[in-house]
């Protein structure tokens, strides 16, 4: 998914190169790292020297967004194995990661992921693609509407379009701005892997937006912060009791 | 929580769908300043949190007295939530089983 190269420049950059990988088909790339690490007490931004595998391990063990996705995927028959389903690689361009459906693997671009918080967001984003791949017949390579749908969901549910992240990108907006961000980032993600026009990408996003924006699985809500993700995890663990008592 | 022996409890299941403290937590989250901001950022309006409060009251009444009205009210509320989440037609077809190649070894050219 295209974004400002290197750091949070305003607005998206067109023409981001495809996720470069040996013989891989077009995956669903994640936007590049945004801007400088935050100043302050947020420890997730002070891990610049951590390796990709270490940051990945911490994300898998502690991040509540990821916990929901891992549990949901296991429930759907796609238990995630760190060694098999993740790969830390150096990538061309500014892409942060991608999901390779042909290999059932998430690629993490270690040269473009700079801190723990960003790692968590990239992993969440790509796991949403993996989750969609697991639960549905997603025609990644042959139906741009399917690709658009998964990108809408990933942009909306991963924290990509949180108010804070948009402010870091110098994209200011409040009322219903989340939806604007989701539409824009989904279209750019499509353009990063498909040789189609901007208008075609936006049309695909518009065609499926209503359905896909409202598909909040496996969270059941838009997890705006870790608190929402923890509540979603609680609800997922409680689902048997829930569905047998309504 | 008193369970079984009561015909009301066996009629609609022994438990509220969620523990009552969850309804309280959801209501408190809903009316928090942070959520009002997030909701406005997504939907362009303030959230309506009244249903969580009604559900909390129904849940407490369910637990305390096994009132059939409370059980019905709470179940209808939750069914409405489930229906609202499912009302949009999916873009793709759901699988009956997971992808067959999910756990297969990586293709040779990608293997490290």
């Amino acid at each position: 998914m295209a974004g400002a190269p290197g750091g949070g420049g305003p607005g998206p950059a067109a023409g981001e190169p495809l996720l470069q990988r040996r013989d891989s088909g077009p995956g669903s790339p994640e936007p590049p790292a945004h801007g400088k690490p935050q100043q302050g007490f947020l420890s997730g931004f002070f891990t610049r020297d951590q390796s990709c595998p270490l940051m990945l391990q911490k994300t898998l063990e502690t991040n509540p967004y990821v916990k929901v996705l891992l549990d949901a995927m296991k429930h759907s028959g796609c238990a995630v194995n760190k060694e098999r389903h993740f790969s830390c690689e150096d990538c061309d361009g500014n892409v942060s990661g991608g999901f390779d459906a042909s290999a059932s693997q998430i690629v993490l671009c270690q040269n473009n992921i700079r801190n723990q918080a960003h790692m968590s967001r990239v992993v969440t984003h790509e796991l949403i693609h993996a989750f969609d791949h697991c639960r549905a017949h997603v025609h990644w390579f042959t139906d741009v509407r399917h690709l658009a749908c998964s990108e809408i969901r990933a942009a909306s549910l991963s924290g990509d379009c949180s108010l804070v992240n948009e402010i870091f990108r110098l994209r200011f907006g409040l009322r219903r701005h989340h939806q604007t961000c989701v539409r824009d980032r989904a279209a750019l993600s499509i353009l990063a892997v498909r040789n189609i026009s901007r208008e075609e990408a936006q049309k695909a996003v518009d065609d499926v937006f209503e359905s896909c924006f409202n598909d909040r699985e496996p969270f059941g809500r838009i997890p705006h912060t870790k608190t929402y993700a923890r509540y979603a995890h609680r609800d997922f663990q409680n689902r048997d009791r829930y569905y047998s008592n309504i | 929580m008193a369970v079984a022996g009561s015909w009301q409890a066996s009629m609609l299941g022994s438990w509220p769908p969620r523990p009552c403290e969850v309804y309280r937590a959801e209501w408190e989250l809903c009316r928090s300043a942070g959520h009002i901001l997030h909701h406005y950022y997504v939907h362009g309006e303030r959230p309506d949190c009244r249903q969580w409060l009604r559900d909390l009251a129904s849940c407490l009444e369910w637990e305390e007295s096994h009132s059939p009205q409370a059980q019905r009210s709470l179940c209808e509320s939750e069914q409405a939530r489930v229906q609202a989440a499912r009302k949009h037609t999916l873009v793709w077809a759901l699988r009956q089983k997971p992808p067959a190649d999910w756990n297969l070894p990586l293709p040779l050219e990608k293997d490290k």
Side-chain angles (χ1 to χ4, degrees):
Chain A
M1 148 67 238
E16 273 284 345
L18 289 174
L19 174 61
Q20 295 299 316
R21 194 182 185 209
R22 296 162 296 180
D23 298 321
S24 80
S28 297
E30 220 277 336
H34 59 78
K36 300 185 283 283
Q38 283 306 287
Q39 303 306 311
F41 56 84
L42 300 170
S43 61
F45 292 93
F46 291 131
T47 52
R48 300 195 73 164
D49 298 327
Q50 292 289 314
S51 69
C52 177
L54 282 178
M55 287 197 288
L56 171 61
Q57 181 69 25
K58 183 169 180 184
T59 287
L60 293 175
E61 287 177 351
T62 65
N63 186 273
Y65 292 77
V66 169
K67 284 184 179 180
V68 176
L69 286 156
L70 292 177
D71 283 1
M73 289 184 67
K74 186 173 180 183
H75 177 70
S76 297
C78 298
V80 170
N81 176 278
K82 187 180 70 158
E83 282 69 35
R84 168 62 180 83
H85 297 112
F86 285 94
S87 176
C88 290
E89 302 178 10
D90 287 330
C91 304
D92 296 337
N94 296 309
V95 182
S96 301
F99 173 62
D100 186 343
S102 61
S104 299
Q105 193 175 62
I106 288 170
V107 173
L108 302 171
C109 298
Q110 58 195 4
N111 55 322
N112 292 326
I113 298 174
R114 296 196 190 123
N115 58 55
Q116 186 66 55
H118 188 222
M119 170 63 80
S120 293
R121 188 162 58 80
V122 174
V123 170
T124 299
H125 182 112
E126 301 307 334
L127 276 174
I128 289 168
H129 293 318
F131 173 70
D132 287 342
H133 180 69
C134 177
R135 64 168 179 146
H137 293 285
V138 182
H139 302 154
W140 296 104
F141 308 128
T142 57
D143 190 340
V144 71
R145 295 162 64 255
H146 284 205
L147 176 59
C149 189
S150 194
E151 292 296 355
I152 287 166
R153 285 173 30 78
S156 176
L157 302 173
S158 67
D160 280 351
C161 283
S162 70
L163 179 57
V164 165
N165 280 333
E166 279 288 89
I167 289 172
F168 290 162
R169 297 183 189 112
L170 304 180
R171 283 166 51 98
F172 299 107
L174 184 58
R175 187 164 190 256
R176 288 170 68 100
H177 182 74
H178 179 265
Q179 298 188 35
T180 303
C181 171
V182 169
R183 287 180 190 271
D184 290 348
R185 290 181 74 79
L188 289 167
S189 289
I190 295 167
L191 289 171
V193 292
R194 289 295 167 84
N195 188 19
I196 61 176
S197 69
R198 187 176 290 266
E199 287 71 32
E200 287 172 287
Q202 287 172 340
K203 182 177 185 308
V205 168
D206 289 343
D207 281 353
V208 301
F209 190 82
E210 192 67 20
S211 170
C212 303
F213 184 73
N214 288 293
D215 179 0
R216 309 267 162 84
E217 293 299 304
F219 299 97
R221 66 180 88 205
I222 296 175
H224 303 290
T225 67
K226 287 181 178 178
T227 295
Y228 293 83
R230 287 190 200 100
Y231 282 23
H233 193 227
R234 171 206 69 198
D235 291 346
F236 185 83
Q237 290 178 314
N238 192 53
R239 67 195 179 283
D240 287 343
R241 166 177 170 169
Y242 180 78
Y243 285 107
S244 63
N245 285 286
I246 60 171
Chain B
M1 192 185 96
V3 171
S6 155
W7 69 268
Q8 296 98 328
S10 62
M11 188 170 72
L12 285 173
S14 304
W15 310 91
R18 315 180 204 230
C20 294
E21 55 264 29
V22 169
Y23 290 104
R24 180 177 296 280
E26 292 289 355
W27 176 59
E28 288 177 350
L29 178 66
C30 182
R31 62 193 196 121
S32 68
H35 182 71
I36 292 170
L37 176 64
H38 286 127
H39 197 273
Y40 189 79
Y41 177 65
V42 175
H43 301 288
E45 59 186 21
R46 290 175 64 105
D48 183 353
C49 305
R50 291 171 296 177
Q51 192 58 44
W52 288 117
L53 189 57
R54 285 191 280 264
D55 291 347
L56 172 59
S58 297
C59 184
L60 292 170
E61 198 179 331
W62 181 331
E63 284 196 342
E64 286 168 21
S65 64
H66 300 286
S67 148
Q69 292 88 341
Q71 292 179 51
R72 218 173 346 257
S73 170
L74 188 51
C75 289
E76 284 173 2
S77 173
E78 292 288 11
Q79 285 164 16
R81 284 199 182 97
V82 171
Q83 291 309 311
R86 292 177 181 172
K87 72 177 179 185
H88 296 278
T89 307
L90 291 179
V91 166
W92 42 50
L94 292 176
R95 291 181 187 266
Q96 299 301 313
K97 48 190 180 171
D101 57 354
W102 180 252
N103 278 315
L104 291 182
L106 283 164
L108 276 176
E109 62 270 20
K110 293 189 173 70
D111 211 351
K112 287 191 278 288

